[in-house]
Amino acid sequence: AGSYPALYLSGMRVLEVLKGKVIRKRSDGWGRNVLVAVQFSLSILMIVAVLVIFRQMDFVQSTHLGYDRDNLVYFQREGKLMEGGNTFLEEVLNIPGVKDATMSGFYIGGMNSTGGVGWPEKTDEDQLQFWEVDAGPGLIEMMGIEVIEGRSFSGDLSSDSTGIIFNETAIKAMGLENPIGTRVFHYKGFKKIIGVVKDFHLESLHQPVQPTLFLYDPTESPFIMAKLQKGAEKNALEAMEDVFNEFNPGFPFEPKFVDQDYQAQYAAEQRVGALSAYAAGFAILISCLGLFGLASFSAERRAKEIGIRKILGSGIGGIIRLLMMDFLKVILVAVVVALPLSYFVAQGWLEGFAYRIPLEWWFFASAGVAALIVAALTISAQTWKAAVTNPVQSLRDE
């Protein structure tokens, strides 16, 4: 900002300046137009970025994960709860506002994994890693996970201890056409497939659904999970804490909501979205300042030309179109340059998600139209002022 004027002014010849013969280079206008075009190209890029990020985040929040994460709360089993969990659960289920509760090994983004699973016709090349979830009775139903074949764990059947449930992805990866009743090897012993559940997301949408299995193992489940009634969460948690302190004195009651864990996975993207919105606002503001200055400069330089045109019969509308078209051409160039660039940038960012929104045409059309409208509004005041100026004032020689 300071160096260019200093270099430009220091290069002028003093005698020519005093005589009023300052020579304007043809490249000056070209350079100014390039700068304005670059500014608006970046503004359009930022507008597209904001649209894409917010749409993707909305998609992340609204996508059904294959289970109902609302009002699901869990906390660590420790101390006496590792032994007397069933008695504790009976007390919890009597609390108003608690719809259901059971033992659980489920938590987002941190499940145990195992490769120690064998099945009929497994080859040495079939090396699958499974997410492993220890489950108590009713966990699958409480979470709203859909059973598409067979049954869930009931807790009333002794055979559940040797039962195993897989998700759809696991069954497809193992190549089992009729999975129910199939005997598989698990590192804890041989198991029989009693059910298949619909795919659900244990991780963020950055990752595809992984092969997952459920084991009926309440004693090894590290958490107690409860489904709370909407609107009664606070009172239910307070009562639950009282029961917890009674059963497990000396241990902290630290409940966590599954939905909050899910949201935390996208903290970085939410920060990027907020920063992008601010950056887009600043980019548009700076671009408008540059365009406003350029419009003022152009109107001043062409004051005599405008005066002559008005004397020869040009109307205010014609003068405004003449001045605005010069600038709108620059903005159109910025739009043409920015839209392909913004497409590749947006596509690259979305590739970080296994599940993502499609890039729709209106993202880019909205950004281009917004840039044109902002540019037109920015220069309209200066063009109107120049168009309505009395030609006598601009043509007289002072």
Side-chain angles (χ1 to χ4, degrees):
S3 60
Y4 177 74
L7 291 172
Y8 185 82
L9 293 173
S10 64
M12 290 182 176
R13 296 180 182 181
V14 178
L15 290 178
E16 292 179 349
V17 172
L18 294 175
K19 292 177 181 179
K21 296 180 179 180
V22 179
I23 300 175
R24 297 184 177 92
K25 299 178 182 179
R26 292 184 178 180
S27 61
D28 290 350
W30 180 84
R32 286 188 293 269
N33 289 337
V34 168
L35 289 175
V36 171
V38 170
Q39 288 176 336
F40 267 90
S41 294
L42 293 175
S43 299
I44 294 168
L45 176 62
M46 295 305 299
I47 293 171
V48 172
V50 171
L51 289 174
V52 171
I53 291 172
F54 277 91
R55 288 287 295 178
Q56 177 64 19
M57 288 299 98
D58 181 66
F59 172 75
V60 165
Q61 301 302 328
S62 60
T63 296
H64 185 59
L65 302 177
Y67 65 94
D68 182 11
R69 67 179 187 268
D70 295 334
N71 300 316
L72 271 180
V73 64
Y74 68 97
F75 51 89
Q76 190 80 35
R77 284 181 69 198
E78 49 190 350
K80 294 181 179 179
L81 290 184
M82 295 301 294
E83 301 174 358
N86 289 329
T87 305
F88 175 80
L89 281 176
E90 292 176 2
E91 294 291 334
V92 168
L93 288 170
N94 290 326
I95 296 175
V98 176
K99 298 172 68 175
D100 202 356
T102 189
M103 311 294 187
S104 171
F106 175 91
Y107 67 106
I108 288 181
M111 227 64 58
N112 291 327
S113 63
T114 179
V117 178
W119 59 91
E121 300 181 1
K122 178 183 178 181
T123 67
D124 293 337
E125 297 178 357
D126 296 327
Q127 299 299 323
L128 292 179
Q129 196 73 15
F130 295 82
W131 286 117
E132 183 176 282
V133 184
D134 292 324
L139 175 65
I140 292 175
E141 289 80 1
M142 184 178 72
M143 293 182 62
I145 298 174
E146 182 182 350
V147 179
I148 56 177
E149 286 188 63
R151 63 176 179 86
S152 179
F153 299 121
S154 69
D156 297 328
L157 301 175
S158 59
S159 60
D160 281 352
S161 61
T162 59
I164 191 169
I165 297 174
F166 289 97
N167 68 344
E168 291 175 290
T169 296
I171 295 299
K172 291 177 182 177
M174 291 187 291
L176 301 178
E177 295 183 0
N178 298 299
I180 304 301
T182 300
R183 196 163 178 258
V184 299
F185 173 79
H186 185 267
Y187 66 89
K188 290 184 178 180
F190 283 97
K191 306 287 183 179
K192 185 174 70 172
I193 299 176
I194 64 171
V196 178
V197 297
K198 196 173 182 65
D199 281 341
F200 61 97
H201 295 273
L202 287 171
E203 301 176 283
S204 72
L205 298 187
H206 289 284
Q207 306 297 331
V209 172
Q210 300 296 320
T212 305
L213 63 88
F214 287 89
L215 294 176
Y216 184 76
D217 200 350
T219 58
E220 295 296 326
S221 299
F223 304 109
I224 289 177
M225 180 175 283
K227 181 75 170 180
L228 305 183
Q229 185 177 346
K230 186 176 181 180
E233 297 91 346
K234 182 179 179 181
N235 293 335
L237 284 175
E238 290 176 352
M240 199 180 297
E241 183 176 10
D242 293 338
V243 176
F244 180 91
N245 291 332
E246 180 183 345
F247 272 80
N248 221 16
F251 289 89
F253 180 68
E254 297 175 338
K256 296 181 180 179
F257 281 90
V258 172
D259 187 56
Q260 292 177 348
D261 288 348
Y262 179 74
Q263 301 291 345
Q265 297 180 110
Y266 303 101
E269 286 79 7
Q270 290 169 351
R271 285 194 296 269
V272 169
L275 291 173
S276 297
Y278 288 120
F282 281 118
I284 294 169
L285 176 62
I286 293 171
S287 300
C288 291
L289 289 174
L291 187 59
F292 184 83
L294 188 58
S296 302
F297 177 73
S298 178
E300 183 68 25
R301 287 187 60 183
R302 302 179 67 176
K304 294 188 185 317
E305 176 194 345
I306 294 170
I308 294 171
R309 286 179 179 273
K310 291 188 70 175
I311 290 174
L312 294 176
S314 292
I316 293 176
I319 299 296
I320 291 176
R321 284 194 300 272
L322 174 68
L323 295 175
M324 290 190 70
M325 285 306 298
D326 291 341
F327 298 107
L328 293 181
K329 288 177 183 177
V330 175
I331 306 307
L332 283 173
V333 171
V335 171
V336 171
V337 172
L339 293 186
L341 178 62
S342 61
Y343 175 83
F344 288 112
V345 171
Q347 185 67 29
W349 184 78
L350 287 173
E351 285 178 357
F353 291 85
Y355 305 91
R356 52 185 178 264
I357 60 170
L359 286 175
E360 300 183 29
W361 64 270
W362 66 265
F363 294 164
F364 309 97
S366 300
V369 171
L372 289 172
I373 292 175
V374 169
L377 292 175
T378 302
I379 61 180
S380 59
Q382 289 301 314
T383 54
W384 173 261
K385 181 180 177 181
V388 300
T389 300
N390 191 332
V392 174
Q393 297 179 1
S394 58
L395 290 175
R396 69 184 179 183
D397 189 4
E398 299 183 8

